[in-house]
């Protein structure tokens, strides 16, 4: 179907000049889904631009498009900050899809490379919004005066934002990670229960699926828990049963030595526990800290043993092809970073891409999840079905604070400056006064799901 629509007035007609038409070579819903997220750029700018030129000449420029905001060269202070300004001539400002969004005249994003410094800036009032990704900070450090006085709001927002893989990826193209028994043993030696309890204050839930907390999670997946005895037995079965004079596990005289690469310094407190538990059974683990730039380059080139990863959940419908299809396994710079190959998974992906029935797609991915989990290509860690945020108490917000499947980036698009709150906030800053302290948690979307289930019992298409 071809549509000719003037989105500024929500009127469709047959005489508009610009039409975008998409035609897929094969039937399937994923083609439309992929295209729905692709921006359209002007041909007079990019028609002759190749990939190398794009990276060289457009790395520090905003690609010209048709959105509601603009960033000029003068708005970019490289390595410091970016000013994002509202267009006064935005053609779709009154379109139905944009009502209630894009409410700020200017957004200033500041580059801060140190999370501790970022936290101090929040406390000083230099930042209006702060995303909290550390449980210790959430539990122990967010109780200072501006929080207690209501000038800063602290909120854990529960919703159904998709969660994806967080953990350690094994490069199965290399020994000993090409042995399933070794991979499972390494999972059994990672004491997630202790780490979640002691280091994350029981904020998180253990992950046993690549689609945790969704309708796609296979409930039959094995629940891997810390079990060094079972791990030692598996390693022995794989040939790692003898010890050398230094107490190291050896096979054909060669010690079992592993390397874990990571770029987040905060992860070291987890990895040093893992390192010690491995040492106790005679396995050496080298912890290798790299910059994000170096880490991603080595990841793209498949030059790693074990790599700490945390993928975003993506959109409401998973796209497993990029992570688990065999054709991606040996391609450099692909997101199938572990080298996963499985004929049945390839079949499932082909069926999934062509299946328009949401219930049938859920069943297909549940089967895929069971296969992927059983192959132990990832040491799965934990996840939180919420977003933790702190903000200056001057913003208006929709019900639920963010969207049902949104995340910490939603506020830029959905919030607005509330004149009354802003006046109270400014007055409280000047006088040292107080403002109402809101609830520490928002469960609007969880309650919404309960009502939805009551009205549509068993309808998997409406499940989070």
């Amino acid at each position: 179907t071809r549509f000719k629509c003037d989105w500024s007035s929500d009127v469709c007609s047959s005489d508009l000049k610009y039409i975008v038409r998409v035609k897929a070579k094969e039937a399937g819903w994923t083609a439309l889904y992929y295209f729905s997220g692709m921006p359209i750029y002007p041909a007079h700018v990019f028609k002759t631009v190749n990939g190398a030129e794009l990276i060289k000449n457009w790395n520090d420029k905003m690609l010209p498009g048709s959105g509601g905001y603009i960033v000029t060269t003068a708005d970019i202070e490289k390595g410091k900050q970016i000013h994002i300004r509202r267009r006064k001539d935005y053609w779709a400002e009154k379109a139905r899809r944009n009502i209630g969004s894009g409410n700020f005249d200017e957004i200033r994003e500041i580059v801060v490379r140190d999370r501790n410094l970022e936290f101090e800036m929040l406390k000083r009032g230099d930042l209006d919004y702060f995303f909290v990704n550390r449980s210790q900070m959430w539990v122990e450090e967010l109780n200072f005066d501006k929080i207690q006085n209501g000038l800063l709001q602290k909120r854990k927002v529960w919703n159904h934002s998709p969660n994806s893989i967080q953990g350690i990826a094994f490069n199965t193209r290399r020994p000993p990670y090409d042995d399933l028994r070794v991979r499972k043993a390494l999972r059994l030696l990672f004491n997630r229960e202790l780490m979640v309890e002691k280091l994350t204050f029981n904020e998180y839930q253990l992950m046993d699926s690549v689609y945790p907390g969704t309708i796609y999670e296979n409930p039959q997946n094995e629940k891997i828990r810390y079990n060094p005895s079972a791990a030692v037995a598996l390693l022995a079965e794989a040939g790692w049963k003898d010890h050398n004079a230094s107490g190291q596990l050896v096979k054909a005289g060669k010690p079992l030595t592993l390397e874990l690469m990571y770029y987040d310094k905060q992860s070291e407190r987890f990895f040093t526990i893992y390192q010690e538990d491995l040492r106790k059974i005679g396995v050496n683990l080298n912890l290798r800290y790299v910059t994000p730039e170096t880490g991603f380059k080595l990841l793209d080139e498949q030059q790693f043993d074990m790599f700490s990863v945390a993928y975003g959940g993506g959109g409401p419908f998973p796209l497993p092809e990029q992570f688990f299809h065999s054709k991606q396994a040996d391609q450099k710079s692909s997101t199938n970073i572990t080298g996963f190959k499985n004929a049945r998974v390839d079949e499932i992906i082909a069926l999934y891409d062509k299946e328009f029935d949401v219930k049938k797609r859920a069943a297909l991915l549940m089967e895929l999840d069971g296969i992927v989990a059983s192959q132990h290509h990832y040491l799965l860690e934990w996840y939180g079905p919420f977003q933790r945020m702190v903000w200056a108490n001057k913003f208006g917000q929709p019900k639920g604070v963010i969207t049902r499947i949104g995340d910490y980036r939603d506020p830029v698009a959905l919030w607005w400056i509330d004149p009354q709150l802003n006046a109270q906030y400014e007055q409280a800053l000047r006088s040292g006064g107080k403002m109402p302290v809101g609830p520490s948690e928002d469960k609007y979307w969880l309650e919404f799901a309960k009502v939805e289930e009551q009205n549509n019992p068993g309808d998997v298409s409406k499940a989070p």
Side-chain angles (χ1 to χ4, degrees):
T1 304
R2 300 174 69 185
F3 294 96
K4 300 179 179 181
C5 300
D6 177 1
W7 297 113
S8 64
S9 60
D10 254 0
V11 174
C12 293
S13 63
S14 58
D15 57 356
L16 291 182
K17 179 179 179 181
Y18 300 106
I19 300 171
V20 175
R21 185 182 184 189
V22 181
K23 185 176 182 180
K25 293 182 179 180
E26 299 179 4
W29 66 276
T30 53
L32 177 62
Y33 190 51
Y34 278 119
F35 182 77
S36 67
M38 293 182 182
I40 299 171
Y41 295 117
H44 74 274
V45 177
F46 294 111
K47 189 174 183 179
T48 61
V49 175
N50 60 27
E53 184 180 349
L54 184 72
I55 294 174
K56 179 180 178 181
N57 296 329
W58 289 91
N59 198 34
D60 297 312
K61 298 179 183 178
M62 181 178 178
L63 301 178
S66 57
Y69 286 84
I70 190 169
V71 176
T72 67
T73 303
D75 291 324
I76 300 175
E77 298 179 50
K78 193 172 181 180
K80 294 183 178 179
Q81 61 183 350
I82 299 174
H83 292 265
I84 305 170
R85 307 176 194 274
R86 186 207 296 271
R87 292 181 63 106
K88 296 181 180 179
D89 59 348
Y90 181 35
W91 64 278
E93 181 178 358
K94 296 181 180 179
R96 183 173 58 190
R97 61 163 291 175
N98 291 323
I99 299 299
S101 66
N103 302 305
F104 298 115
D105 291 330
E106 180 180 340
I107 301 163
R108 185 160 57 102
E109 294 195 353
I110 303 171
V111 179
V112 184
R113 298 183 182 274
D114 186 305
R115 284 289 285 174
N116 292 324
L117 174 59
E118 186 181 1
F119 185 49
E120 292 303 316
M121 292 173 68
L122 172 76
K123 291 195 286 187
R124 290 199 306 265
D126 296 336
L127 299 178
D128 290 325
Y129 175 78
F130 184 78
F131 170 61
V132 184
N133 64 350
R134 286 181 54 206
S135 296
Q136 182 177 4
M137 176 181 289
W138 182 258
V139 174
E140 295 187 338
E141 300 176 36
L142 285 171
N143 197 33
F144 51 89
D145 54 351
K146 287 183 179 178
I147 298 283
Q148 295 173 344
N149 295 336
L151 275 74
L152 290 177
Q153 296 292 299
K154 168 187 174 181
R155 197 86 79 252
K156 179 188 290 185
V157 181
W158 297 76
N159 73 342
H160 304 120
S161 178
N163 285 282
S164 189
I165 299 168
Q166 175 176 307
I168 297 170
F170 300 122
N171 188 352
T172 66
R173 307 171 189 89
R174 296 180 173 186
Y177 313 101
D178 56 349
D179 191 316
L180 184 147
R181 296 165 297 187
V182 173
R183 298 195 300 269
K184 183 175 180 180
L186 293 178
R187 290 189 66 190
L188 289 164
L189 288 163
F190 194 76
N191 197 343
R192 299 188 296 169
E193 303 94 298
L194 174 70
M195 296 175 189
V196 168
E197 178 186 357
K198 301 297 184 183
L199 300 183
T200 76
F201 303 86
N202 283 318
E203 279 280 299
Y204 299 116
Q205 300 174 25
L206 297 184
M207 184 179 290
D208 299 304
S209 162
V210 294
Y211 303 117
T214 71
I215 59 174
Y216 311 108
E217 179 172 357
N218 192 322
Q220 302 304 317
N221 287 353
E222 183 179 3
K223 307 301 185 283
I224 299 293
R225 300 295 182 262
Y226 182 62
N227 191 333
S229 298
V232 168
L234 278 172
L235 290 173
E237 186 180 323
W240 301 95
K241 55 185 177 181
D242 298 322
H243 291 80
N244 62 17
S246 300
Q248 298 171 309
L249 270 180
V250 296
K251 181 179 180 180
K254 182 179 179 181
L256 182 52
T257 300
L258 314 172
E259 181 178 86
L260 170 56
M261 193 183 304
Y262 61 100
Y263 57 86
D264 181 4
K265 276 284 187 181
Q266 300 297 331
S267 299
E268 285 184 357
R269 56 202 180 116
F270 302 102
F271 297 153
T272 52
I273 293 176
Y274 189 38
Q275 185 182 47
E276 178 60 20
D277 285 337
L278 288 170
R279 186 197 63 78
K280 291 176 182 177
I281 66 162
V283 178
N284 292 333
L285 175 65
N286 297 325
L287 299 179
R288 182 182 176 188
Y289 173 74
V290 295
T291 64
E293 295 83 356
T294 298
F296 293 137
K297 183 175 185 295
L298 293 172
L299 198 66
D300 286 344
E301 295 174 352
Q302 300 170 357
Q303 298 301 309
F304 71 97
D305 286 357
M306 303 161 66
F307 197 98
S308 175
V309 297
Y311 291 116
F317 304 110
L319 296 169
E321 179 177 346
Q322 57 186 323
F323 293 103
F324 305 117
H325 200 286
S326 298
K327 68 181 180 182
Q328 306 276 2
D330 296 319
Q331 291 184 8
K332 300 292 181 67
S333 302
S334 84
T335 44
N336 186 345
I337 61 176
T338 67
F340 187 91
K341 295 180 182 180
N342 184 279
R344 176 54 186 164
V345 165
D346 292 347
E347 291 175 0
I348 292 172
I349 290 172
L351 293 170
Y352 178 78
D353 288 351
K354 297 179 184 299
E355 182 55 68
F356 285 86
D357 189 303
V358 177
K359 296 180 182 179
K360 293 179 180 178
R361 288 210 302 262
L364 286 168
L365 279 201
M366 194 177 292
E367 181 187 351
L368 180 146
D369 183 49
I371 296 171
V372 171
S374 71
Q375 296 304 301
H376 307 291
H377 275 231
Y378 288 89
L379 188 162
L380 299 174
E381 293 180 347
W382 41 78
Y383 73 103
F386 47 73
Q387 308 290 315
R388 294 176 299 205
M389 300 174 281
V390 179
W391 64 81
N393 195 4
K394 58 184 177 182
F395 295 108
Q397 298 150 333
K399 290 181 178 179
V401 182
I402 56 179
T403 63
R404 183 176 186 175
I405 61 169
D407 59 21
Y408 64 93
R409 291 165 288 197
D410 273 6
V412 171
L414 297 179
W415 294 5
W416 62 91
I417 298 291
D418 183 293
Q420 184 176 352
L421 273 178
N422 190 40
Q424 295 175 7
Y425 175 76
E426 295 293 340
Q427 175 62 30
L429 278 179
R430 290 191 297 268
S431 65
K434 297 182 179 182
M435 297 181 69
V437 177
S440 61
E441 298 190 0
D442 188 301
K443 296 186 177 182
Y444 171 82
W445 289 117
L446 301 189
E447 296 302 320
F448 184 93
K450 291 179 181 178
V451 173
E452 191 174 52
E453 173 61 23
Q454 290 172 1
N455 295 334
N456 303 277
D459 188 352
V460 71
S461 66
K462 296 184 181 300

